[in-house]
Amino acid sequence: MYELVFWIYQEGVYLNHHLVYEALADEELVEGLEEIPTSVILNRINALFSKWERVDENSWKNSNGPGAFHVRSTSQSIKIDCYGTQGSDMDVLVGALEEFKCPLYDPQVPERYDGVE
């Protein structure tokens, strides 16, 4: 499994990414994060992956090749668990969240790709 995690900091707020990730994994509310439009984002993901089989409300499976993913959300975050998902498909997911100004945090690296050092 490969995790992709997304959240938005409030303006002027910059926290320890890994601590934010751990708090969000425990479904805690994190002071300093924006609320995100999770249902709108899920609809966007569904549109981008319309050729994939929608297994349930939050899961998709590639019927024509490798890969599946499951989306978990809180009011402040989106976490996508990818199972055998190809890099190009993960790039589509990352791009979808970038449309909502939600940069990727990759806990495997760990690095947040928000252009801020």
Side-chain angles (χ1 to χ4, degrees):
M1 181 189 67
Y2 202 94
E3 283 182 301
L4 307 173
V5 187
F6 306 86
W7 67 81
I8 305 171
Y9 287 121
Q10 292 174 351
E11 196 169 325
V13 173
Y14 209 66
L15 306 170
N16 178 304
H17 307 316
H18 194 73
L19 294 178
V20 170
Y21 163 73
E22 288 179 341
L24 292 171
D26 292 337
E27 297 189 3
E28 296 172 18
L29 278 179
V30 179
E31 198 170 317
L33 298 190
E34 297 281 353
E35 290 211 351
I36 55 177
T38 52
S39 60
V40 177
I41 292 169
L42 274 171
N43 287 339
R44 179 66 180 136
I45 290 170
N46 193 48
L48 289 167
F49 287 88
S50 60
K51 290 183 170 59
W52 287 38
E53 178 187 340
R54 192 160 185 183
V55 180
D56 61 35
E57 193 175 295
N58 297 310
S59 303
W60 288 260
K61 180 175 88 176
N62 187 350
S63 303
N64 301 314
F69 61 89
H70 177 77
V71 179
R72 285 190 277 168
S73 59
T74 69
S75 62
Q76 297 179 316
S77 69
I78 295 275
K79 178 176 179 265
I80 305 173
D81 296 328
C82 299
Y83 303 92
T85 309
Q86 295 183 321
S88 56
D89 293 322
M90 287 195 268
D91 289 345
V92 171
L93 290 166
V94 171
L97 273 292
E98 284 175 353
E99 292 174 27
F100 296 93
K101 308 287 186 256
C102 276
L104 168 66
Y105 174 73
D106 183 336
Q108 288 86 192
V109 180
E111 191 167 336
R112 182 167 158 92
Y113 297 92
D114 58 3
V116 179
E117 292 302 317

